[in-house]
Amino acid sequence: MNDDIVQMINEWNPVEIYPLLEDEYYSEIRRIHEKSKETNSVEELAKQIHSVFAQSFKKKFDKSIEECRSIAEKIINCYKIIYF
């Protein structure tokens, strides 16, 4: 798994867990990492990120698709740097 994605998600801390453990979002990050390899679309990845966290945290997750879009863009840009 990409350490940059771990860092991005942990910095975002979408469910605002304090104190945040390094592996707190491991399951969600793993699923997002897999989805990010399947798409170059920021919009599609944003929907996937929103879905992953909504399924995992239900009512505790209250971020919008727009907030997820920002993270999706960072993740896709990170992959462009790594692979191109």
Side-chain angles (χ1 to χ4, degrees):
M1 183 167 24
N2 186 312
D3 289 337
D4 292 326
I5 294 176
V6 173
Q7 183 177 348
M8 283 183 249
I9 298 293
N10 284 342
E11 286 176 5
W12 180 39
N13 195 3
V15 186
E16 299 177 6
I17 297 172
Y18 299 103
L20 180 67
L21 303 175
E22 178 69 24
D23 63 350
E24 195 75 52
Y25 298 120
Y26 183 79
S27 170
E28 293 77 22
I29 292 169
R30 187 173 34 80
R31 293 190 333 222
I32 291 166
H33 174 72
E34 291 304 314
K35 296 294 183 185
S36 68
K37 293 189 303 186
E38 299 171 4
T39 185
N40 287 325
S41 163
V42 171
E43 192 64 37
E44 180 61 30
L45 185 56
K47 290 176 185 175
Q48 292 294 332
I49 291 169
H50 191 273
S51 175
V52 164
F53 281 105
Q55 288 174 5
S56 291
F57 294 100
K58 314 250 186 291
K59 293 182 180 182
K60 293 180 184 178
F61 179 70
D62 63 355
K63 304 297 184 201
S64 68
I65 291 287
E66 188 62 39
E67 290 171 286
C68 295
R69 189 177 294 118
S70 175
I71 294 300
E73 189 172 331
K74 289 178 183 179
I75 290 170
I76 286 178
N77 286 335
C78 177
Y79 278 120
K80 285 180 183 176
I81 292 169
I82 291 170
Y83 295 116
F84 296 108

